[in-house]
């Protein structure tokens, strides 16, 4: 039983997942600081309020709290996209160019010649030119 558990834990994907979770948790403070200290103050300059909590408040029902949460979520998603995803994609493209890996070649290789021939036969049968 312990041997199976050891094999499971030492698999690469489990360790990669653990590292990703730890790094994600550590990076969340950076994203929170960016959203709370930079982006939300910029929005409050435009709107005049630091958050939307009092917007559309009817007694205990406050739709503004939901609006604030949605705006925060969108800001976090935008921060992650523009700070992490876009630069990472550029680095991957640069690395692929340096290594001579071409995405167009992969897409052309995906087209199997047998599938192309079968597609031509199907099209010919549909058009009625083959009897």
């Amino acid at each position: 039983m312990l041997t199976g558990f050891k094999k499971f834990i030492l698999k690469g994907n489990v360790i990669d997942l653990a590292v990703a979770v730890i790094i994600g948790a550590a990076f969340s403070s950076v994203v929170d600081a960016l959203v709370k200290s930079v982006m939300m103050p910029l929005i409050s300059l435009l709107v005049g309020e630091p958050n939307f909590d009092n917007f559309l408040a009817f007694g205990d029902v406050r739709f503004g709290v939901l609006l604030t949460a949605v705006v925060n979520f969108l800001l976090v998603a935008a921060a992650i996209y523009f700070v992490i995803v876009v630069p990472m994609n550029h680095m991957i493209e640069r690395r692929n160019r340096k290594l001579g890996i071409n995405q167009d070649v992969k897409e052309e290789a995906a087209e199997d010649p047998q599938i192309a021939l079968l597609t031509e036969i199907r099209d010919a049968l549909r058009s009625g030119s083959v009897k």
Side-chain angles (χ1 to χ4, degrees), residues 8-79:
F8 172 73
I9 292 297
L10 293 179
K11 282 186 179 179
N13 55 358
V14 173
I15 294 172
D16 291 343
L17 180 61
V19 169
V21 168
I22 292 168
I23 289 175
F27 194 72
S28 69
S29 64
V30 174
V31 174
D32 285 342
L34 177 65
V35 169
K36 290 179 183 173
S37 300
V38 176
M39 298 174 102
M40 280 307 282
L42 289 174
I43 289 177
S44 71
L45 287 175
L46 297 173
V47 179
E49 296 271 336
N51 58 37
F52 304 107
D53 290 351
N54 295 324
F55 182 72
L56 289 174
F58 305 105
D60 289 337
V61 179
R62 298 184 330 177
F63 290 105
V65 174
L66 176 64
L67 182 61
T68 299
V70 169
V71 168
N72 283 339
F73 170 77
L74 292 174
L75 291 175
V76 167

Side-chain angles (χ1 to χ4, degrees), residues 18 102 105:
N102 190 357
V105 172

